[in-house]
């Protein structure tokens, strides 16, 4: 048996986690937006699974935002550097929870709604894109 090989197949490399610190100026809008509020680590973190963190590269996460639209509908938006016809990721797992799937194009961002609640309340969160 070779190290790193399970049942004859190479073990899948673990996806790198990203640390997001969400900031809010009110109860209905916030999260992280490059240069405006919140923070993300490592700098240049990518939404492309397995891609290295490189500032300015395609896939760089520019925003992870929460909105409570009209005070009712919980929405999550992700903005990624580059032009994609489909999200460059299949799912997003936040703080080890159930992976979120089904993001769709919403202007310059990828959106997911309706959600049951705010998945990124103020504070520190771990993100894993796959």
């Amino acid at each position: 048996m070779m190290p790193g090989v399970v049942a004859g197949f190479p073990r899948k490399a673990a996806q790198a986690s990203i640390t997001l610190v969400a900031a809010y100026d009110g109860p209905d809008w916030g999260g992280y937006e490059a240069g405006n509020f919140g923070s993300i680590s490592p700098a240049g973190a990518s939404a492309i699974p397995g891609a290295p963190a490189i500032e300015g590269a395609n896939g760089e996460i520019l925003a992870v935002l929460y909105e409570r639209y009209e005070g009712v509908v919980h929405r999550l938006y992700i903005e990624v550097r580059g032009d994609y016809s489909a999200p460059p990721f299949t799912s997003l797992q936040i703080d080890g929870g159930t992976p979120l799937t089904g993001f769709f194009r919403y202007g310059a961002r990828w959106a997911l709604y309706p959600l049951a609640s705010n998945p990124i309340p103020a504070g520190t969160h771990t993100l894993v894109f796959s």
Side-chain angles (χ1 to χ4, degrees):
M1 189 78 135
M2 293 176 47
V5 176
V6 177
F9 297 98
R11 189 178 337 189
K12 183 178 178 185
Q15 292 296 326
S17 66
I18 298 164
T19 301
L20 170 92
V21 178
Y24 287 79
D25 60 1
D28 296 331
W29 178 256
Y32 160 73
E33 187 171 46
N36 289 323
F37 50 87
S39 65
I40 199 162
S41 177
S46 181
I48 300 171
I54 301 172
E55 292 182 73
N58 281 343
E60 179 184 9
I61 301 166
L62 302 176
V64 179
L65 300 166
Y66 163 78
E67 175 188 36
R68 186 167 58 188
Y69 182 71
E70 295 185 351
V72 178
V73 180
H74 300 281
R75 295 178 172 183
L76 184 64
Y77 302 103
I78 299 173
E79 185 174 349
V80 177
R81 184 180 307 279
D83 187 20
Y84 300 92
S85 59
F89 55 91
T90 302
S91 69
L92 168 60
Q93 187 176 38
I94 301 172
D95 297 331
T98 301
L100 302 173
T101 60
F103 285 85
F104 58 91
R105 174 67 78 188
Y106 190 86
R109 298 183 171 137
W110 298 101
L112 182 63
Y113 60 84
L115 299 170
S117 63
N118 179 355
I120 55 167
T124 303
H125 302 281
T126 300
L127 309 179
V128 176
F129 288 89
S130 55

